[in-house]
Amino acid sequence: MAEFWLISAPGEKTCQQTWDKMNIATTRTANLSTNSKFTIPDLKVGTLDVLVGLSDELAKLDSFVESVVKKLAQYMSDVLEDSRDKVQENLLANGVDLNTYVTRFQWDMAKYPIKQSLKNISEIVSKQVTQIDNDLKARASAYNSIKGNLQNLERKNAGSLLTRSLADIVKKEDFVLDSEYLITMLVVVPKASYPDWQKTYETLSEMVVPRSSNLLFEDQDSGLFSVTLFRKAIDDFKLKSRENKFIVRDFQYNEEEMKADKEELTRLSTDKKKQFVALHLYGLPVNFQAMLLQTNKKNIKKLREVLHELYKHLDGSAAIIDASMDIPGLNLSQQEYYPYVYYKIDCNLLDFK
């Protein structure tokens, strides 16, 4: 994903001349950046005191909006299971990818009426992003709950024959059902003990039906055998099986319960896929002629030099001011202070490992 520099500068007789001068300077000898206009309507700027008063609030709002957007992007990554292609495909702003949204930005007059003061507009943005943050928290909580329940069910359908669910292994025909006297038991037998099982299962207790044992399923270590016996012999059969290191699973074939478990698994899987939200990005205005520069990492140093030469006359102190200086009303978030308005827009919202 691209990194953009949103810069703004005064200087020429018309905004078009400001744009032309910057565009020529950055593309004349080498394509240092891909440039596009960033159109901002005429806003009710107010007095300098108002702008200074808003400076800190806008800095806080900017950090808050960025954190919510990144949380939303990470939420999408979780839901789409870290598939970069799927996440980038669905990480949209107003229905388009982030690069397109930024380079073709249009002010939403309906949401942010330009007759409102900058303070009112910032409050509108704050309320909208707060609502998104609250919605995201609710969705994330629901997603984590569904994910946890789904993982529990999936764990039951995997793992050792000693603990896993048997519902997807056995079939109706493996059991003697609806008998007043007979019952089919399921026994986990270590693979090394198969010969012992075959030799002894009929005599582990009285009333075991001869030649009634069948191997139904195997995993890496054990096999699941069925065996039919009279109900009155259940307790004795379990005891003698345990003495011989054969483990009787506590399982009763119930089609309705098994169907309900499978439906729950399907429902949770479907619900997990539904936990998806649309991403909406909201932009804040800047003054003067706004210009968007799509940078290339190898040309960043040269681009800085070109912009400095272009705008250094606006503030001769720019080269010596750094972010550690406390200038009232001016929030410096970068390493250096530039003579033009500068704001970095990083569309890479995801930090994949």
Side-chain angles (χ1 to χ4, degrees):
M1 297 293 289
E3 177 180 300
F4 294 90
W5 294 358
L6 179 60
I7 72 170
S8 182
E12 312 307 322
K13 293 181 179 179
T14 66
C15 289
Q16 184 62 41
Q17 286 177 328
T18 304
W19 160 258
D20 291 339
K21 189 173 182 179
M22 186 281 300
N23 199 35
I24 291 171
T26 57
T27 60
R28 178 175 50 198
T29 57
N31 290 322
L32 300 179
S33 59
T34 301
N35 308 324
S36 55
K37 289 184 179 180
F38 197 83
T39 306
I40 301 293
D42 292 331
L43 300 166
K44 294 182 66 175
V45 176
T47 65
L48 180 60
D49 287 343
V50 171
L51 291 177
V52 170
L54 272 175
S55 177
D56 288 342
E57 292 303 316
L58 289 179
K60 293 175 184 176
L61 178 58
D62 177 63
S63 297
F64 174 56
V65 172
E66 182 177 0
S67 69
V68 172
V69 169
K70 287 187 174 180
K71 280 194 293 184
L72 220 166
Q74 185 58 53
Y75 172 77
M76 285 187 178
S77 174
D78 292 341
V79 172
L80 296 174
E81 298 178 339
D82 284 340
S83 172
R84 174 175 283 274
D85 291 340
K86 287 183 180 179
V87 175
Q88 298 294 3
E89 179 183 327
N90 288 281
L91 194 60
L92 306 176
N94 289 355
V96 297
D97 66 85
L98 303 187
N99 283 12
T100 301
Y101 177 78
V102 171
T103 55
R104 299 180 185 177
F105 174 79
Q106 290 184 327
W107 188 271
D108 192 328
M109 299 289 187
K111 287 183 178 177
Y112 315 108
I114 60 175
K115 292 183 179 180
Q116 298 270 9
S117 67
L118 290 182
K119 181 174 179 60
N120 286 349
I121 291 175
S122 69
E123 288 174 351
I124 292 171
V125 174
S126 180
K127 287 178 181 178
Q128 290 176 337
V129 177
T130 298
Q131 184 60 53
I132 291 173
D133 190 35
N134 291 336
D135 290 346
L136 177 60
K137 289 175 182 176
R139 285 177 177 268
S141 177
Y143 172 76
N144 289 331
S145 176
I146 291 170
K147 184 179 179 181
N149 291 336
L150 182 60
Q151 286 176 339
N152 288 336
L153 280 178
E154 288 173 341
R155 274 195 292 268
K156 289 180 180 179
N157 290 326
S160 167
L161 281 171
L162 294 172
T163 56
R164 65 163 293 169
S165 170
L166 304 178
D168 61 335
I169 292 176
V170 298
K171 301 184 291 292
K172 185 176 181 179
E173 51 266 30
D174 296 327
F175 296 84
V176 174
L177 300 174
D178 303 321
S179 171
E180 183 179 351
Y181 302 105
L182 296 175
I183 186 172
T184 300
M185 308 290 291
L186 298 179
V187 185
V188 178
V189 179
K191 284 187 174 180
S193 300
Y194 281 9
D196 292 338
W197 169 258
Q198 295 292 354
K199 289 178 184 176
T200 61
Y201 81 87
E202 294 181 358
T203 58
L204 287 175
S205 71
E206 296 180 352
M207 301 184 179
V208 175
V209 177
R211 290 177 292 185
S212 63
S213 180
N214 293 297
L215 177 62
L216 305 181
F217 184 84
E218 289 182 299
D219 64 13
Q220 187 175 354
D221 303 311
S222 307
L224 184 70
F225 286 84
S226 63
V227 59
T228 302
L229 57 146
F230 280 79
R231 290 182 180 274
K232 63 173 64 178
I234 289 177
D235 291 340
D236 188 42
F237 181 82
K238 285 183 177 181
L239 177 62
K240 295 296 176 56
S241 293
R242 188 162 56 249
E243 290 174 354
N244 286 272
K245 298 183 179 179
F246 307 141
I247 306 302
V248 178
R249 287 291 306 268
D250 186 14
F251 180 86
Q252 291 184 347
Y253 187 87
N254 186 312
E255 276 190 307
E256 290 185 2
E257 288 184 4
M258 291 165 63
K259 182 181 178 182
D261 286 346
K262 290 180 180 179
E263 288 176 350
E264 178 69 2
L265 185 62
T266 302
R267 184 188 68 79
L268 288 172
S269 297
T270 302
D271 287 349
K272 183 183 174 186
K273 293 176 183 178
K274 288 180 179 178
Q275 299 302 307
F276 183 80
V277 299
L279 174 61
H280 298 281
L281 297 180
Y282 300 95
L284 290 177
V286 295
N287 298 315
F288 308 149
Q289 174 59 49
M291 299 163 283
L292 195 68
L293 286 64
Q294 183 173 345
T295 63
N296 185 318
K297 283 187 177 180
K298 65 180 182 180
N299 293 328
I300 284 179
K301 184 178 180 182
K302 179 63 177 176
L303 181 59
R304 281 285 184 216
E305 292 172 356
V306 169
L307 292 176
H308 180 74
E309 286 299 316
L310 199 58
Y311 299 119
K312 64 182 180 181
H313 66 281
L314 297 175
D315 187 350
S317 63
I320 60 172
I321 297 177
D322 63 38
S324 64
M325 297 180 65
D326 184 16
I327 304 176
L330 181 61
N331 183 276
L332 296 174
S333 59
Q334 61 264 1
Q335 291 292 318
E336 295 179 336
Y337 164 69
Y338 305 106
Y340 46 88
V341 177
Y342 163 73
Y343 188 83
K344 185 175 78 170
I345 301 176
D346 191 351
C347 290
N348 183 23
L349 300 176
L350 301 173
D351 184 21
F352 283 90
K353 294 181 180 179

